[in-house]
Amino acid sequence: MKNTYSKIRHTFTEDGKPLNAIVYGGLVKPDEAMANCIIEDLGEGFQLGRYMLTISNDGWVSDDLEELETRLFEWMQRQGYEYDSEK
């Protein structure tokens, strides 16, 4: 099975609170957000931006999902993921 850039929406539970996210490359662990490649959907009205991407110790917040996906896809490519399709 090859790794892909395909994406799905999923809600995790972190510290008893829902964490809405877009999961890329398949859902690895449905109960553990940080075990997956995700962009967190913070919802509308979050002051710094709607979406948050964290890779290692770096983080970005933006209203522009495409900008964050570009950063994530570059990282995923370096990790051996191949573009397949969007779900």
Side-chain angles (χ1 to χ4, degrees):
M1 185 166 121
K2 71 178 178 179
N3 296 322
T4 69
Y5 292 8
S6 60
K7 64 183 179 182
I8 60 169
R9 288 194 171 266
H10 184 75
T11 300
F12 298 93
T13 301
E14 294 277 319
D15 299 323
K17 298 176 186 171
L19 185 152
N20 297 313
I22 305 166
V23 181
Y24 298 82
L27 190 58
V28 177
K29 292 188 177 181
D31 298 329
E32 196 175 323
M34 295 307 137
N36 297 278
C37 296
I38 68 166
I39 293 178
E40 186 175 349
D41 186 342
L42 303 170
E44 292 182 20
F46 190 74
Q47 237 176 23
L48 300 175
R50 177 171 182 164
Y51 302 102
M52 181 170 66
L53 170 63
T54 305
I55 299 174
S56 299
N57 292 324
D58 295 320
W60 301 268
V61 179
S62 177
D63 283 324
D64 187 349
L65 179 61
E66 190 174 308
E67 172 192 339
L68 296 179
E69 284 181 331
T70 299
R71 288 180 186 273
L72 178 61
F73 294 163
E74 288 171 358
W75 177 85
M76 289 176 75
Q77 185 176 17
R78 289 191 304 271
Q79 299 302 310
Y81 287 79
E82 298 176 20
Y83 181 78
D84 182 12
S85 66
E86 186 176 303
K87 291 184 181 179

